[in-house]
Amino acid sequence: MKLNFIFVGKTGHRDMGRLIKFYADRLARFTRIEIKTVREEKITSSKTPELILQAEGKRILDATDPSDVLVVWDSSGEMMSSVEYAEVLGAWERQGIKRVSMVIGGPLGIGSEVKKAAQKIFSLSPMTFPHDLARVIVLEQTYRAFSIIRGIPYHK
Ligand SMILES: C[S@@+](CC[C@H](N)C(=O)[O-])C[C@H]1O[C@@H](n2cnc3c(N)ncnc32)[C@H](O)[C@@H]1O
């Protein structure tokens, strides 16, 4: 099963960029991964937040395939433990799902078109994290989930 991470906009903080690479490299030992960064729409006074999210949403959906399981990460989504997350990913792997696309939004979040298209909306917490940090946590939790699935002693 391949994991296709879709990020909106560049990683701003150099240290977060290092941590993203750190966890992405570890995760890649367990499963195939790809990270795609789609362009963040410039915020100007002539564009409403809805228009910005629509433009970014089109880029996000263009980076997915209709056959993907689409997961959106959003603070309003479904919360679960690391073990429950591992159970979800493990079940998809056993079912032979070819690719899971995981979307982490930009500063304005993720628009309604992408949320409507998603099979799952997952939350890390009801709190809002900066997008750079959300990328690190999602990658770390996905690495943790695969260490649980593969029986590697990382999760205590
Ligand atoms: C700065 S946040 C967006 C904030 C935006 N005002 C909103 O309400 O969605 C950027 C991205 O980080 C991710 N994110 C931040 N906090 C999160 C959380 N608690 N759970 C899941 N994803 C989160 C989401 O993908 C979000 O689109």
Side-chain angles (χ1 to χ4, degrees), residues 1 3 71 84-95 100 102 122 141-143 145-146 149:
M1 184 170 79
L3 300 178
V71 174
E84 286 165 340
Y85 181 43
E87 283 165 1
V88 172
L89 291 175
W92 286 342
E93 198 177 47
R94 285 193 303 280
Q95 284 163 27
V100 178
M102 301 226 181
F122 288 157
Q141 284 299 307
T142 308
Y143 169 63
F146 272 90
I149 295 167

Side-chain angles (χ1 to χ4, degrees), residues 72-77 103-110 115 122-132 134-135 138:
V72 158
W73 287 90
D74 190 271
S75 56
S76 69
V103 182
I104 299 178
L108 295 183
I110 297 167
K115 285 183 183 167
F122 288 157
S123 169
L124 299 164
S125 151
M127 292 182 175
T128 299
F129 302 122
H131 60 282
D132 284 1
R135 294 170 185 186
V138 168

Side-chain angles (χ1 to χ4, degrees), residues 10-26:
K10 291 184 182 147
T11 301
H13 199 292
R14 203 173 49 180
D15 290 338
M16 295 295 166
R18 288 201 186 108
L19 282 170
I20 288 166
K21 184 172 177 339
F22 179 87
Y23 287 114
D25 287 348
R26 268 153 191 75

Side-chain angles (χ1 to χ4, degrees), residues 27 37 40 49 56 64-65 76 80 100 103 113 126 136 148 151 154-155:
L27 178 57
T37 303
E40 182 185 327
E56 291 177 349
T64 68
D65 187 89
S76 69
M80 70 211 122
V100 178
V103 182
E113 283 91 351
V136 174
I148 293 167
Y154 170 69
H155 179 68

